[in-house]
Amino acid sequence: MIKVGIIGGAGYTAGELLRVLAGHPETDVAFVHSTSNAGNSIDSVHKDLVGDIEGDFTDQLNFDVDVLFICSGHGHSRTFVEGNDIPAGVKIIDLSNEYRLKADADGFVYGLPELNLGAIKKATKIANPGCFATAIQLGILPLAANGELNEDVHVNAITGSTGAGQNPSKTSHFSWRNNNVSIYKAFSHQHLGEINQSIQQLQSDYGHEVKFLPVRGNFPRGIFASLYTKCMLSEEEVIEMYREFYKDAAFVHVLDYAPDMKQVVNTNKCLIHVEKHGDTVLVTSCIDNLVKGASGQAVQNMNLMFGLDQKTGLQLKSVGF
């Protein structure tokens, strides 16, 4: 059994991680760390885990584990890693944005399996991708891998309120968010850095921009991204390019019809659809922001690091209705 420790255990990503690990046949959760909830039972905070996870949160650290998931808020992971004597044999999977860019990586491998599969298998430290970044990259990368990104890429992506974290804010408050839609961080979202980095990894001569409009949706979870750019290939050629790129991907499915978001909510899947309109290719990419966009992808990376099948513990059904 893989002994797991979780840091920052009270938030949405940690709760989702625990939900996935509760059904994982090869893991044992050794401790869940939370300074704010120390002594409280785990299922008193993550109430969906009643009957699935026993034990209490602790404020004590225990590095007698095989893998450490860091689910702390952005801005805390590096302080934790640098401030604690974590044994070299403990693998680390960080779900924050602090190690995703190569300039800040400090030995962390960028954990998008569809891009860095071989490196992830050999890694001891993983920087888990961002949720928007995952959906958008999976929609773009086949074009980049074939040198077919020759113009700006325009992206409109709407996300659920859980992407803003568990602590309430003005824009996640029910009364504001319900029956409401708004744009934020237009053309400047923090995930653009890792998106551009991955494009450059596959198509180093790409000199245009990803013009990204993030949208707050009035639903709890999921990301629905629409991407379009100029492409001179036929629709059939582009579709075949996507199918070839993802032929061995465990969780990415290229559909011959337009997907809807409920098909992916609660799963580690990414569903993609490609169509042409004149000289413009339109790609739809949708994921669950908490699963493939965070905790599910983290478990997928753990599976790869420990030589397990990628799907272990992740064969989850969507809510569907």
Side-chain angles (χ1 to χ4, degrees):
M1 301 291 280
I2 300 167
K3 293 177 67 176
V4 173
I6 298 173
I7 306 299
Y12 284 139
T13 56
E16 197 69 3
L17 178 61
L18 285 163
R19 180 180 74 87
V20 173
L21 293 177
H24 196 292
E26 302 292 339
T27 60
D28 175 42
V29 177
F31 75 94
V32 183
H33 183 271
S34 172
T35 53
S36 60
N37 281 281
N40 295 330
S41 66
I42 294 168
D43 63 12
S44 69
V45 173
H46 303 301
K47 295 185 178 181
D48 57 317
L49 297 177
V50 170
D52 296 318
I53 293 285
E54 297 181 352
D56 299 335
F57 293 103
T58 179
D59 57 3
Q60 301 300 304
L61 295 173
N62 171 18
F63 294 134
D64 182 22
V65 294
D66 299 304
V67 61
L68 199 62
F69 289 91
I70 304 178
C71 300
S72 305
H74 299 308
H76 299 286
S77 293
R78 189 178 296 273
T79 301
F80 177 84
V81 170
E82 294 178 356
N84 289 279
D85 187 17
I86 303 171
V90 176
K91 300 182 190 298
I92 300 173
I93 300 175
D94 178 45
L95 280 77
S96 80
N97 61 7
E98 292 181 61
Y99 295 102
R100 293 172 186 163
L101 300 183
K102 290 180 180 178
D104 305 319
D106 287 344
F108 280 72
V109 170
Y110 186 66
L112 188 68
E114 296 77 13
L115 177 66
N116 292 326
L117 184 69
I120 292 167
K121 289 180 177 180
K122 297 182 288 187
T124 59
K125 296 187 288 186
I126 292 290
N128 215 57
C131 51
F132 269 135
T134 296
I136 293 168
Q137 286 176 96
L138 293 177
I140 289 175
L141 293 186
L143 291 168
N146 288 273
E148 292 294 336
L149 284 182
N150 301 304
E151 300 282 348
D152 289 345
V153 179
H154 301 269
V155 183
N156 181 288
I158 186 167
T159 187
S161 59
T162 53
Q166 192 171 35
N167 291 330
S169 69
K170 184 178 73 171
T171 57
S172 63
H173 191 286
F174 177 84
S175 297
W176 187 90
R177 192 100 178 200
N178 189 47
N179 294 325
N180 201 7
V181 172
S182 64
I183 288 175
Y184 70 109
K185 297 181 181 178
F187 306 124
S188 63
H189 195 277
Q190 64 270 17
H191 289 182
L192 282 168
E194 57 192 284
I195 293 167
N196 287 316
Q197 177 176 269
S198 295
I199 291 173
Q200 290 290 329
Q201 181 177 329
L202 293 178
Q203 186 177 335
S204 59
D205 65 348
Y206 183 67
H208 298 274
E209 293 184 80
V210 177
K211 296 185 178 294
F212 174 30
L213 291 176
V215 181
R216 299 183 184 96
N218 62 345
F219 49 88
R221 55 196 294 166
I223 290 177
F224 192 93
S226 303
L227 313 90
Y228 66 91
T229 188
K230 295 289 180 66
C231 180
M232 294 300 107
L233 300 179
S234 70
E235 181 174 272
E236 293 74 16
E237 288 172 320
V238 179
I239 292 171
E240 179 56 31
M241 179 190 301
Y242 273 72
R243 293 194 187 280
E244 177 64 23
F245 189 85
Y246 290 123
K247 66 180 180 180
D248 297 320
F251 293 102
V252 182
H253 304 277
V254 181
L255 306 182
D256 58 5
Y257 61 89
D260 61 81
M261 200 173 63
K262 274 194 173 182
Q263 288 176 272
V264 299
V265 169
N266 195 54
T267 81
N268 201 52
K269 297 174 186 176
C270 174
L271 300 185
I272 289 178
H273 176 66
V274 180
E275 57 189 70
K276 282 292 297 295
H277 297 269
D279 61 0
T280 300
V281 61
L282 170 65
V283 181
T284 303
S285 173
C286 54
I287 66 170
D288 185 314
N289 60 292
L290 288 179
V291 191
K292 183 59 173 168
S295 304
Q297 185 152 247
V299 171
Q300 184 181 356
N301 282 320
M302 180 198 72
N303 288 340
L304 288 167
M305 296 167 82
F306 286 91
L308 302 177
D309 186 288
Q310 290 183 62
K311 291 187 175 182
T312 306
L314 287 167
Q315 292 176 303
L316 309 169
K317 183 193 175 298
S318 70
V319 293
F321 46 83

